[in-house]
Amino acid sequence: MNIEAIATIVTPFSEKFAIPRQAQIVNQAIGTLQFSPAYQHPEYLNGLSAHSHYWLIWGFHQHEGKTKSQTVRPPRLGGNTAVGVFATRSPFRPNNLGLSVVKLQHIDKKRLTLKFSGVDMLSGSPVYDIKPYIPYADCCTSATSTWANDVPTPDFSVLFLPKVLRTLQAYDADQGTQLLALLQALLAYDARPAYKKTQATDTKRYATRLYTVDVAWRINGKTVTVIDAAVG
Amino acid sequence: MNIEAIATIVTPFSEKFAIPRQAQIVNQAIGTLQFSPAYQHPEYLNGLSAHSHYWLIWGFHQHEGKTKSQTVRPPRLGGNTAVGVFATRSPFRPNNLGLSVVKLQHIDKKRLTLKFSGVDMLSGSPVYDIKPYIPYADCCTSATSTWANDVPTPDFSVLFLPKVLRTLQAYDADQGTQLLALLQALLAYDARPAYKKTQATDTKRYATRLYTVDVAWRINGKTVTVIDAAVG
């Protein structure tokens, strides 16, 4: 079946590294959904405010056309145990479909855009459907999982070098973003591959791009220190 | 983007009328998922038993290629109020994608099939993805909806004419189904269009096909009477 993007979502995440592992973990991650030209009709916005949360069915578009394996090794299982891809939320899956529940923050009737918080997709990801979260049907309180039951707890305290703090504050003031708050929430979780997490000392410089800022940090014990932020 | 069915789901519902409005409302509705030839590998079953519930992303395949409207009239709003399609779970939507949380009941490693309860899709619907329900991420306790917050309560008592009861019991014994229990649960909800619900008297004979049985019923006040069941 051919499906077409009804929208594209612009998020702070311009590369895969350090994207939250599920939606809603980092509420400070805000995405702006822009309807595709064929869907730019104000009628599509009617009634959206009736629901607080929405499901987005979207695409892992950078994985399109790539060969996939029948099994994957989830980080939650330490990265060593292979399980069938349908037993996981791995992004490496047939049909490349992602599913995330996000919170509706703003409906811009003039620009025909929607703002959602708690996003976990790469910026520019195609969106194939938007469905309201139906509390009685979707909040399945009897559901259990042997290895994905608990909310991930933050691993680290996050510190910023003074010059980095100044750069981020200036960027937020200028761009209307909340990059400082986003980094504080995002880097509290350990985004490293499983083998790195068990290393006694880790001297690696980690880096990713958020919005238009190249951010770098180091990990020491239970502390993450953001050592660089270069706007460009 | 082209997506291919990784599986097909066989359900009791061979036509749209009387299908539950959401998944999980009628737990007695059991579906059997059969993997498509390219996905018939035992590896895909590895680890599935770790989770109790699964999301199916599937297709409203009978709506493919049909023209869609920007707005729809949800039954929950009485069928008169038009809202944008993305504010609803209407099956008449761009890309024809359905989303249902279902409970895993059985993994058949020999036949490579999966049994799920609480299904709400037409028999033969294509399945595009299977993802575990992640309790901490998917059970969004803060979600609200102005018109889809509450579990639908049953509208009717369900009675069976004696000859119908005998037919259904014989069918269940023969086929290993639970059609009697399914009908009891299914017909307790009012599946009629909104204008019919407000009619003072309703003399219409309603009918649908479940598995291979043509079932007919009448509504009188708060009672549904199943008046016919023809196996064929």
Side-chain angles (χ1 to χ4, degrees):
Chain A
M1 177 171 72
N2 192 52
I3 55 176
E4 59 170 10
I6 56 141
T8 299
I9 191 153
V10 175
T11 74
F13 309 114
S14 37
E15 51 182 271
K16 289 180 216 165
F17 184 59
I19 293 184
R21 293 224 179 270
Q22 297 296 337
Q24 294 290 318
I25 295 177
V26 177
N27 294 325
Q28 294 85 348
I30 309 288
T32 304
L33 183 142
Q34 303 175 323
F35 283 97
S36 305
Y39 294 89
Q40 287 173 4
H41 297 286
E43 288 79 3
Y44 282 120
L45 304 183
N46 282 355
L48 283 176
S49 61
H51 315 281
S52 66
H53 290 68
Y54 279 84
W55 289 108
L56 303 181
I57 299 178
W58 52 280
F60 296 106
H61 60 299
Q62 291 195 349
H63 298 174
E64 274 176 44
K66 298 211 175 138
T67 309
K68 311 267 169 26
S69 166
Q70 290 150 12
T71 57
V72 296
R73 295 166 192 276
R76 277 248 175 170
L77 292 177
N80 293 317
T81 309
V83 295
V85 64
F86 299 127
T88 79
R89 298 279 275 251
S90 165
F92 299 94
R93 60 197 310 115
N95 291 323
N96 307 301
L97 292 172
L99 176 66
S100 305
V101 56
V102 291
K103 188 173 182 189
L104 181 61
Q105 294 287 354
H106 184 67
I107 301 171
D108 189 328
K109 294 197 172 175
K110 211 163 178 182
R111 289 193 189 85
L112 302 179
T113 59
L114 304 172
K115 270 205 197 322
F116 292 107
S117 64
V119 300
D120 64 341
M121 57 284 284
L122 200 63
S123 193
S125 293
V127 176
Y128 298 107
D129 204 357
I130 305 170
K131 291 179 193 281
Y133 190 96
I134 304 290
Y136 76 81
D138 298 343
C139 188
C140 199
T141 49
S142 65
T144 57
S145 166
T146 55
W147 52 267
N149 248 344
D150 304 324
V151 186
T153 48
D155 305 285
F156 302 125
S157 313
V158 183
L159 299 179
F160 297 85
L161 292 190
K163 62 162 187 173
V164 173
L165 200 59
R166 285 193 297 274
T167 303
L168 293 171
Q169 285 167 337
Y171 185 82
D172 281 342
D174 190 46
Q175 302 287 320
T177 50
Q178 290 191 295
L179 179 52
L180 185 59
L182 175 63
L183 275 168
Q184 190 89 46
L186 203 64
L187 296 183
Y189 296 99
D190 197 343
R192 295 175 297 174
Y195 78 94
K196 272 287 185 188
K197 293 182 192 185
T198 52
Q199 268 185 2
T201 55
D202 183 354
T203 56
K204 192 171 153 62
R205 174 192 167 104
Y206 293 97
T208 193
R209 191 173 173 82
L210 292 158
Y211 297 113
T212 58
V213 183
D214 289 306
V215 180
W217 65 92
R218 288 193 194 280
I219 293 170
N220 188 357
K222 287 290 161 198
T223 304
V224 165
T225 306
V226 186
I227 54 171
D228 203 10
V231 180
Chain B
M1 175 171 74
N2 191 51
I3 55 177
E4 60 169 11
I6 56 142
T8 299
I9 190 154
V10 175
T11 74
F13 309 115
S14 38
E15 50 181 273
K16 288 180 215 166
F17 185 59
I19 293 184
R21 293 223 179 273
Q22 298 296 336
Q24 294 290 316
I25 294 177
V26 177
N27 294 324
Q28 294 84 349
I30 308 288
T32 304
L33 183 140
Q34 303 174 322
F35 284 97
S36 305
Y39 294 90
Q40 287 172 5
H41 296 286
E43 287 79 4
Y44 282 120
L45 304 182
N46 282 356
L48 283 175
S49 62
H51 316 279
S52 66
H53 290 68
Y54 279 84
W55 290 108
L56 302 182
I57 300 180
W58 51 282
F60 296 105
H61 61 299
Q62 290 197 348
H63 298 174
E64 274 176 44
K66 298 214 176 135
T67 309
K68 311 269 169 25
S69 165
Q70 289 149 13
T71 57
V72 295
R73 297 166 192 278
R76 278 248 174 171
L77 292 176
N80 294 317
T81 310
V83 296
V85 64
F86 300 126
T88 80
R89 297 277 275 251
S90 165
F92 299 94
R93 59 197 313 114
N95 291 324
N96 307 302
L97 292 173
L99 177 66
S100 304
V101 57
V102 289
K103 188 173 180 186
L104 181 61
Q105 295 287 356
H106 185 66
I107 302 171
D108 189 327
K109 293 196 175 177
K110 211 163 178 181
R111 290 193 188 82
L112 303 180
T113 59
L114 303 172
K115 270 206 195 322
F116 293 107
S117 65
V119 300
D120 64 341
M121 56 285 285
L122 200 62
S123 195
S125 295
V127 175
Y128 299 108
D129 205 357
I130 305 169
K131 292 177 195 279
Y133 190 95
I134 304 290
Y136 76 81
D138 297 342
C139 188
C140 198
T141 50
S142 64
T144 58
S145 166
T146 56
W147 52 267
N149 248 345
D150 303 325
V151 186
T153 49
D155 305 285
F156 303 124
S157 312
V158 183
L159 299 178
F160 297 85
L161 292 189
K163 62 162 186 171
V164 173
L165 201 58
R166 283 192 297 273
T167 304
L168 293 172
Q169 284 166 339
Y171 185 83
D172 281 342
D174 191 47
Q175 301 287 318
T177 50
Q178 291 190 294
L179 179 52
L180 184 60
L182 175 63
L183 274 168
Q184 190 89 45
L186 204 62
L187 296 182
Y189 296 99
D190 196 344
R192 295 174 297 174
Y195 79 94
K196 272 286 186 191
K197 293 182 192 182
T198 53
Q199 267 181 4
T201 54
D202 183 354
T203 56
K204 193 171 152 64
R205 175 194 166 99
Y206 293 97
T208 192
R209 191 174 173 81
L210 292 158
Y211 298 112
T212 58
V213 183
D214 288 306
V215 179
W217 66 93
R218 290 195 195 278
I219 293 170
N220 187 359
K222 287 289 160 199
T223 304
V224 166
T225 306
V226 186
I227 54 173
D228 203 11
V231 179

